[in-house]
C-alpha cells in the first residue's frame, strides 16, 4: 500500500469517535469488503493497523486492500450488533462470514387469535400479529418471556379457542391450570375480556412501560430478602436486570416500520449537512451524510429540497421510498411523485429522525476536527470569523482573556486569568492573583482589583492588550470590568458567561450595556466559550485548593505554643509534611530547632508520652 494511502487511513482512524458503532472497510473500487461492530470505533479499527503476531493471514490481506473507512455511530452495543447483522445480509462483504440464511435475531410475538399466545419467533410475518424486539441474544428474550409467564398467567397450548368450540365443551384443563400458570379459558373459566386485559399488561411491558411491573418485582424481592429467601430474591434481581436491558429499545430494527427513507438537515453558516438513512424490511441498510453549499440567505425548506434531490441522484439510486420521514416539509413536494412526507411527533419514526440528526451532528464534528488537523490556520480563521460575527465585534478576537474568582465562605480569596490565542489555550500566559484589598466574599470587589492590576500593568509595560475580555459571570461582573477599563481609558470589548443551576454555560452577554446573545449550543463558538469558561474555573479552583492546603498545614504547626512562622517554614523545608514532623524523634527535631522547641513540638503531638 502506498505511503499516501497509509497516511490517509491513519487520518481516518484518528477521526473515529470512541462511541459504539459499525465500521465498513472499502476497497479501491468502492466495494465494501468487510463490516464489523465495535464498542469503541477508534480503538477497534486502530487495532487492524498495529503490527501484531495475532493477526491472521486473512486479516493482513484484508488490511492491504483497505482504501477507505466508513462508520456509523449508534447508541449501544446491542444496536451495533443488530446493524452489523443487517448490513452483512444487505452488502454481502467478501471478508465477512456471510449470513445467507433467513435466520435472524429473536422477537416476541403476540398472536392475532382468540385468547392470544405470547411466543418466541425468528420470522416476521405480516399476519396482523404484534412483534416486539429484536433482542440481541436469545437469553435476554427468554428472560423476558419467563418473567411474563411467571407474572401474567396466559395459556401456552396450541388449541383453537374459538368461542363455539369452548361452548361445545371440546376441551379439558391441563397441568398448567393445576399449577397456577393458566386460568382455564379453554373450559370457560376465564372470559375473553379478562384475558385481553392481561394481554394488554403484557403488551405494555413489551412496549417498555415497566413501572407497574418494576414495583411488583421490587416488592417481591424485598419480601423474599426479608424472609431470608436469598436465592429467590436473586432471581427477582436478575429479572429486573433483564428488564433494564429490554427497556433500551433499538431504533436499528423495527417490526412496525417497513420501508422508509429518513432525511435530516443541519445548517451551519454557508453550508448544510444532510443525513440520509434507508430502511428496508424494517432494518437500517444504509447511512450517509453529504455536505452542501447553501449560498446566501437560503431558506431551510429550500435547502432540504435541494439536499433530497442530491441524495436521490447520487446516493439513493434515483428513487425514494414511498414514505419519507423529514424534520419539516420541503419547499415543494411536486418534484417527488408518489412520495408521502411525514413529520413525526412521537414514536419510532421520531426515534429514527433523531438517529439521523445525531449522525449529521457527528459527521459535522468530524469534518471540523479534520479541518483543524489538516489546516489549523484555516480552522482558526473560520472560528474567529464566526465569533466576530456572533458577538458583533469590529475585529477578530485572536487574543482572549477570561477572569474568575474563587473563595470558600470568604476565606483565601484568589482569582485567575486564562489567555486564549486563535481559539487555543496559551497556558504559559495564565496568571494567578492573590486578592489583597478585599475581605470576605465580594466577587465584584475582587474582580475590580484583579482586572485593574492586570491591565494597569500591561499598559505600564507597553504589552499587547486582548481583543476580548470575558468575565465568568453575568451583567454585574461585566459592569465592574467596564468601570475599570473606562478608568484606564481602554476600549476593549467585554463579554460575560453565566451558568445555569447545573453549572453549565447557559447565557452569553456582550457589549455595554450588556445584551443577551443567542447562540446554538451546538455551534463551534458556543463550544469555544464553554471551553474557556471551564478552563478559567479549573485554573482558579486548583489555585484556591493549593492555598487552602498550605494554610491548613501552616495553621496546624502554628498552633504549637512557642513555635512561630520562621520555625514552621524551617520544619516544612526539612521534613516536607506535617506527618513527618509528627513522626520525627526528639533528636531529629532538636538538631533542627533546638531542645526547647523540640520538646514543645513533642508535647503538642504526643502529650501522653
Amino acid at each position: 500500500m502506498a505511503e499516501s494511502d497509509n497516511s490517509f487511513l491513519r487520518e481516518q482512524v484518528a477521526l473515529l469517535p470512541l462511541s459504539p458503532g459499525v465500521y465498513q472497510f472499502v476497497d479501491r473500487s468502492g466495494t465494501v469488503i468487510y463490516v464489523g461492530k465495535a464498542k469503541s470505533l477508534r480503538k477497534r479499527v486502530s487495532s487492524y493497523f498495529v503490527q501484531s503476531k495475532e493477526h491472521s493471514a486473512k486479516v493482513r490481506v484484508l488490511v492491504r486492500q483497505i482504501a477507505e473507512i466508513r462508520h456509523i455511530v449508534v447508541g449501544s452495543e446491542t444496536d451495533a450488533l443488530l446493524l452489523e447483522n443487517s448490513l452483512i445480509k444487505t452488502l454481502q462483504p467478501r471478508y465477512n462470514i456471510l449470513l445467507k440464511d433467513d435466520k435472524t435475531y429473536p422477537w416476541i410475538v403476540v398472536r392475532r387469535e382468540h385468547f392470544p399466545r405470547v411466543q418466541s419467533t425468528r420470522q416476521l410475518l405480516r399476519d396482523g400479529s404484534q412483534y416486539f424486539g429484536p433482542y440481541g441474544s436469545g437469553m435476554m428474550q427468554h428472560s423476558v418471556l419467563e418473567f411474563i409467564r411467571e407474572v401474567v398467567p396466559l395459556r401456552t397450548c396450541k388449541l383453537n379457542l374459538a368461542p363455539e368450540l369452548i361452548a361445545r365443551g371440546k376441551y379439558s384443563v391441563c397441568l398448567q391450570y393445576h399449577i397456577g400458570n393458566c386460568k382455564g379459558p379453554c373450559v370457560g373459566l376465564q372470559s375473553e375480556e379478562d384475558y385481553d386485559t392481561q394481554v394488554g399488561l403484557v403488551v405494555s411491558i413489551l412496549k417498555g412501560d415497566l413501572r407497574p411491573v418494576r414495583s411488583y418485582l421490587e416488592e417481591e424481592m424485598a419480601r423474599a430478602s426479608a424472609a431470608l429467601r436469598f436465592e429467590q430474591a436473586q432471581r427477582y434481581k436478575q429479572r429486573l436486570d433483564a428488564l433494564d436491558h429490554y427497556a433500551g429499545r433499538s431504533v436499528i430494527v423495527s417490526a412496525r416500520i417497513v420501508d422508509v427513507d429518513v432525511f435530516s438537515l443541519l445548517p451551519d453558516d454557508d453550508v448544510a449537512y444532510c443525513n440520509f438513512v434507508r430502511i428496508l424490511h424494517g432494518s437500517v441498510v444504509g447511512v450517509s451524510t453529504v455536505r452542501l453549499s447553501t449560498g446566501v440567505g437560503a431558506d431551510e425548506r429550500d435547502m432540504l429540497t435541494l439536499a433530497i434531490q442530491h441524495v436521490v441522484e447520487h446516493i439513493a439510486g434515483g428513487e425514494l421510498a414511498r414514505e419519507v420521514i423529514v424534520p419539516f416539509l420541503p419547499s415543494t413536494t411536486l418534484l417527488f411523485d408518489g412520495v408521502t412526507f411525514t413529520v413525526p411527533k412521537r414514536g419510532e419514526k421520531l426515534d429514527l429522525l433523531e438517529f439521523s440528526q445525531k449522525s449529521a451532528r457527528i459527521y459535522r464534528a468530524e469534518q471540523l476536527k479534520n479541518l483543524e488537523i489538516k489546516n489549523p490556520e484555516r480552522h482558526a480563521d473560520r472560528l474567529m470569523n464566526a465569533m466576530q460575527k456572533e458577538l458583533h465585534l469590529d475585529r477578530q478576537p485572536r487574543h482572549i482573556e477570561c477572569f474568575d474568582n474563587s473563595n470558600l465562605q470568604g476565606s483565601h480569596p484568589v482569582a485567575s486569568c486564562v489567555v486564549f490565542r486563535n481559539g487555543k489555550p496559551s497556558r504559559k500566559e495564565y496568571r494567578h492573583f492573590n486578592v489583597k484589598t478585599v475581605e470576605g466574599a465580594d466577587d465584584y470587589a475582587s474582580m475590580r482589583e484583579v482586572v485593574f492590576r492586570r491591565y494597569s500593568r500591561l499598559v505600564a509595560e507597553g504589552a499587547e492588550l486582548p481583543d476580548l475580555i470575558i468575565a465568568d459571570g453575568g451583567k454585574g461582573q461585566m459592569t465592574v470590568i467596564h468601570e475599570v477599563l473606562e478608568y484606564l481609558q481602554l476600549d476593549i470589548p467585554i463579554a460575560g458567561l453565566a451558568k445555569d443551576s447545573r453549572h453549565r454555560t447557559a447565557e452569553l452577554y456582550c457589549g455595554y450595556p450588556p445584551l443577551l446573545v443567542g447562540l446554538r449550543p451546538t455551534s463551534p463558538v458556543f463550544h469555544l466559550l464553554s471551553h474557556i469558561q471551564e478552563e478559567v474555573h479549573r485554573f482558579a479552583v486548583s489555585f484556591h485548593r493549593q492555598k487552602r492546603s498550605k494554610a491548613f498545614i501552616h495553621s496546624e504547626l502554628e498552633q504549637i505554643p512557642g513555635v512561630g512562622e520562621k520555625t514552621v517554614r524551617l520544619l516544612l523545608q526539612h521534613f516536607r509534611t506535617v506527618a513527618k514532623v509528627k513522626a520525627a524523634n526528639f533528636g531529629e527535631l532538636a538538631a533542627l530547632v533546638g531542645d526547647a522547641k523540640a520538646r514543645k513540638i513533642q508535647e503538642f503531638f504526643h502529650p501522653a508520652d
Side-chain angles (χ1 to χ4, degrees), residues 169-183:
K170 186 174 180 180
Y171 308 117
S172 59
V173 294
C174 63
L175 176 63
Q176 295 297 319
Y177 169 79
H178 292 292
I179 63 177
N181 290 340
C182 177
K183 293 186 177 180

PDB file of all heavy atoms in Angstrom, residues 169-183:
ATOM      1  N   GLY A 169     -67.730 -27.575  24.797  1.00  0.00           N
ATOM      2  CA  GLY A 169     -67.080 -28.407  25.809  1.00  0.00           C
ATOM      3  C   GLY A 169     -66.082 -29.378  25.236  1.00  0.00           C
ATOM      4  O   GLY A 169     -65.954 -30.501  25.730  1.00  0.00           O
ATOM      5  N   LYS A 170     -65.380 -28.946  24.187  1.00  0.00           N
ATOM      6  CA  LYS A 170     -64.487 -29.849  23.478  1.00  0.00           C
ATOM      7  C   LYS A 170     -63.191 -30.109  24.250  1.00  0.00           C
ATOM      8  O   LYS A 170     -62.529 -31.125  24.048  1.00  0.00           O
ATOM      9  CB  LYS A 170     -64.175 -29.251  22.103  1.00  0.00           C
ATOM     10  CG  LYS A 170     -63.367 -30.157  21.205  1.00  0.00           C
ATOM     11  CD  LYS A 170     -63.214 -29.547  19.812  1.00  0.00           C
ATOM     12  CE  LYS A 170     -62.398 -30.471  18.917  1.00  0.00           C
ATOM     13  NZ  LYS A 170     -62.218 -29.921  17.553  1.00  0.00           N
ATOM     14  N   TYR A 171     -62.820 -29.166  25.143  1.00  0.00           N
ATOM     15  CA  TYR A 171     -61.506 -29.271  25.787  1.00  0.00           C
ATOM     16  C   TYR A 171     -61.645 -29.521  27.282  1.00  0.00           C
ATOM     17  O   TYR A 171     -62.719 -29.364  27.869  1.00  0.00           O
ATOM     18  CB  TYR A 171     -60.705 -27.986  25.558  1.00  0.00           C
ATOM     19  CG  TYR A 171     -60.617 -27.580  24.099  1.00  0.00           C
ATOM     20  CD1 TYR A 171     -61.178 -26.380  23.654  1.00  0.00           C
ATOM     21  CD2 TYR A 171     -59.967 -28.396  23.170  1.00  0.00           C
ATOM     22  CE1 TYR A 171     -61.094 -25.987  22.332  1.00  0.00           C
ATOM     23  CE2 TYR A 171     -59.886 -28.013  21.842  1.00  0.00           C
ATOM     24  CZ  TYR A 171     -60.453 -26.813  21.424  1.00  0.00           C
ATOM     25  OH  TYR A 171     -60.378 -26.447  20.102  1.00  0.00           O
ATOM     26  N   SER A 172     -60.504 -29.882  27.879  1.00  0.00           N
ATOM     27  CA  SER A 172     -60.427 -30.022  29.343  1.00  0.00           C
ATOM     28  C   SER A 172     -59.129 -29.372  29.820  1.00  0.00           C
ATOM     29  O   SER A 172     -58.177 -29.219  29.054  1.00  0.00           O
ATOM     30  CB  SER A 172     -60.459 -31.502  29.751  1.00  0.00           C
ATOM     31  OG  SER A 172     -59.366 -32.199  29.162  1.00  0.00           O
ATOM     32  N   VAL A 173     -59.100 -28.988  31.101  1.00  0.00           N
ATOM     33  CA  VAL A 173     -57.928 -28.281  31.629  1.00  0.00           C
ATOM     34  C   VAL A 173     -56.721 -29.211  31.679  1.00  0.00           C
ATOM     35  O   VAL A 173     -56.851 -30.433  31.795  1.00  0.00           O
ATOM     36  CB  VAL A 173     -58.221 -27.717  33.034  1.00  0.00           C
ATOM     37  CG1 VAL A 173     -59.272 -26.634  32.971  1.00  0.00           C
ATOM     38  CG2 VAL A 173     -58.610 -28.815  33.999  1.00  0.00           C
ATOM     39  N   CYS A 174     -55.521 -28.581  31.603  1.00  0.00           N
ATOM     40  CA  CYS A 174     -54.271 -29.350  31.602  1.00  0.00           C
ATOM     41  C   CYS A 174     -53.485 -29.068  32.876  1.00  0.00           C
ATOM     42  O   CYS A 174     -53.959 -28.387  33.794  1.00  0.00           O
ATOM     43  CB  CYS A 174     -53.434 -28.992  30.369  1.00  0.00           C
ATOM     44  SG  CYS A 174     -52.931 -27.252  30.349  1.00  0.00           S
ATOM     45  N   LEU A 175     -52.260 -29.570  32.910  1.00  0.00           N
ATOM     46  CA  LEU A 175     -51.409 -29.418  34.086  1.00  0.00           C
ATOM     47  C   LEU A 175     -51.135 -27.946  34.401  1.00  0.00           C
ATOM     48  O   LEU A 175     -51.048 -27.562  35.575  1.00  0.00           O
ATOM     49  CB  LEU A 175     -50.089 -30.165  33.860  1.00  0.00           C
ATOM     50  CG  LEU A 175     -49.037 -30.034  34.973  1.00  0.00           C
ATOM     51  CD1 LEU A 175     -49.562 -30.643  36.268  1.00  0.00           C
ATOM     52  CD2 LEU A 175     -47.729 -30.690  34.551  1.00  0.00           C
ATOM     53  N   GLN A 176     -50.997 -27.077  33.346  1.00  0.00           N
ATOM     54  CA  GLN A 176     -50.686 -25.664  33.577  1.00  0.00           C
ATOM     55  C   GLN A 176     -51.767 -24.984  34.418  1.00  0.00           C
ATOM     56  O   GLN A 176     -51.469 -24.093  35.229  1.00  0.00           O
ATOM     57  CB  GLN A 176     -50.529 -24.929  32.229  1.00  0.00           C
ATOM     58  CG  GLN A 176     -49.353 -25.396  31.376  1.00  0.00           C
ATOM     59  CD  GLN A 176     -48.026 -25.150  32.072  1.00  0.00           C
ATOM     60  OE1 GLN A 176     -47.809 -24.108  32.699  1.00  0.00           O
ATOM     61  NE2 GLN A 176     -47.128 -26.135  32.001  1.00  0.00           N
ATOM     62  N   TYR A 177     -53.003 -25.415  34.254  1.00  0.00           N
ATOM     63  CA  TYR A 177     -54.097 -24.861  35.069  1.00  0.00           C
ATOM     64  C   TYR A 177     -53.922 -25.295  36.527  1.00  0.00           C
ATOM     65  O   TYR A 177     -54.094 -24.481  37.445  1.00  0.00           O
ATOM     66  CB  TYR A 177     -55.439 -25.345  34.523  1.00  0.00           C
ATOM     67  CG  TYR A 177     -56.598 -25.043  35.441  1.00  0.00           C
ATOM     68  CD1 TYR A 177     -57.163 -23.764  35.497  1.00  0.00           C
ATOM     69  CD2 TYR A 177     -57.123 -26.039  36.273  1.00  0.00           C
ATOM     70  CE1 TYR A 177     -58.216 -23.482  36.359  1.00  0.00           C
ATOM     71  CE2 TYR A 177     -58.169 -25.769  37.133  1.00  0.00           C
ATOM     72  CZ  TYR A 177     -58.716 -24.477  37.169  1.00  0.00           C
ATOM     73  OH  TYR A 177     -59.767 -24.213  38.030  1.00  0.00           O
ATOM     74  N   HIS A 178     -53.586 -26.551  36.745  1.00  0.00           N
ATOM     75  CA  HIS A 178     -53.497 -27.073  38.114  1.00  0.00           C
ATOM     76  C   HIS A 178     -52.317 -26.467  38.885  1.00  0.00           C
ATOM     77  O   HIS A 178     -52.374 -26.382  40.122  1.00  0.00           O
ATOM     78  CB  HIS A 178     -53.380 -28.605  38.083  1.00  0.00           C
ATOM     79  CG  HIS A 178     -54.636 -29.272  37.604  1.00  0.00           C
ATOM     80  ND1 HIS A 178     -55.811 -29.269  38.328  1.00  0.00           N
ATOM     81  CD2 HIS A 178     -54.898 -29.965  36.452  1.00  0.00           C
ATOM     82  CE1 HIS A 178     -56.745 -29.916  37.669  1.00  0.00           C
ATOM     83  NE2 HIS A 178     -56.231 -30.358  36.525  1.00  0.00           N
ATOM     84  N   ILE A 179     -51.235 -26.061  38.188  1.00  0.00           N
ATOM     85  CA  ILE A 179     -50.095 -25.470  38.902  1.00  0.00           C
ATOM     86  C   ILE A 179     -50.160 -23.942  38.914  1.00  0.00           C
ATOM     87  O   ILE A 179     -49.235 -23.278  39.384  1.00  0.00           O
ATOM     88  CB  ILE A 179     -48.747 -25.940  38.290  1.00  0.00           C
ATOM     89  CG1 ILE A 179     -48.611 -25.468  36.841  1.00  0.00           C
ATOM     90  CG2 ILE A 179     -48.604 -27.433  38.400  1.00  0.00           C
ATOM     91  CD1 ILE A 179     -47.261 -25.830  36.205  1.00  0.00           C
ATOM     92  N   GLY A 180     -51.262 -23.358  38.406  1.00  0.00           N
ATOM     93  CA  GLY A 180     -51.488 -21.926  38.531  1.00  0.00           C
ATOM     94  C   GLY A 180     -50.920 -21.073  37.419  1.00  0.00           C
ATOM     95  O   GLY A 180     -50.913 -19.839  37.525  1.00  0.00           O
ATOM     96  N   ASN A 181     -50.464 -21.666  36.313  1.00  0.00           N
ATOM     97  CA  ASN A 181     -49.913 -20.894  35.206  1.00  0.00           C
ATOM     98  C   ASN A 181     -50.960 -20.528  34.162  1.00  0.00           C
ATOM     99  O   ASN A 181     -50.637 -19.825  33.194  1.00  0.00           O
ATOM    100  CB  ASN A 181     -48.780 -21.679  34.514  1.00  0.00           C
ATOM    101  CG  ASN A 181     -47.552 -21.777  35.386  1.00  0.00           C
ATOM    102  OD1 ASN A 181     -47.384 -20.985  36.316  1.00  0.00           O
ATOM    103  ND2 ASN A 181     -46.688 -22.741  35.093  1.00  0.00           N
ATOM    104  N   CYS A 182     -52.174 -20.946  34.321  1.00  0.00           N
ATOM    105  CA  CYS A 182     -53.240 -20.649  33.366  1.00  0.00           C
ATOM    106  C   CYS A 182     -54.568 -20.647  34.135  1.00  0.00           C
ATOM    107  O   CYS A 182     -54.736 -21.406  35.107  1.00  0.00           O
ATOM    108  CB  CYS A 182     -53.257 -21.707  32.251  1.00  0.00           C
ATOM    109  SG  CYS A 182     -54.587 -21.484  31.047  1.00  0.00           S
ATOM    110  N   LYS A 183     -55.503 -19.800  33.719  1.00  0.00           N
ATOM    111  CA  LYS A 183     -56.791 -19.687  34.423  1.00  0.00           C
ATOM    112  C   LYS A 183     -57.906 -20.488  33.759  1.00  0.00           C
ATOM    113  O   LYS A 183     -59.079 -20.322  34.098  1.00  0.00           O
ATOM    114  CB  LYS A 183     -57.196 -18.223  34.522  1.00  0.00           C
ATOM    115  CG  LYS A 183     -56.259 -17.407  35.421  1.00  0.00           C
ATOM    116  CD  LYS A 183     -56.786 -15.984  35.606  1.00  0.00           C
ATOM    117  CE  LYS A 183     -55.899 -15.192  36.566  1.00  0.00           C
ATOM    118  NZ  LYS A 183     -56.391 -13.802  36.767  1.00  0.00           N
TER     119      LYS A 183
END
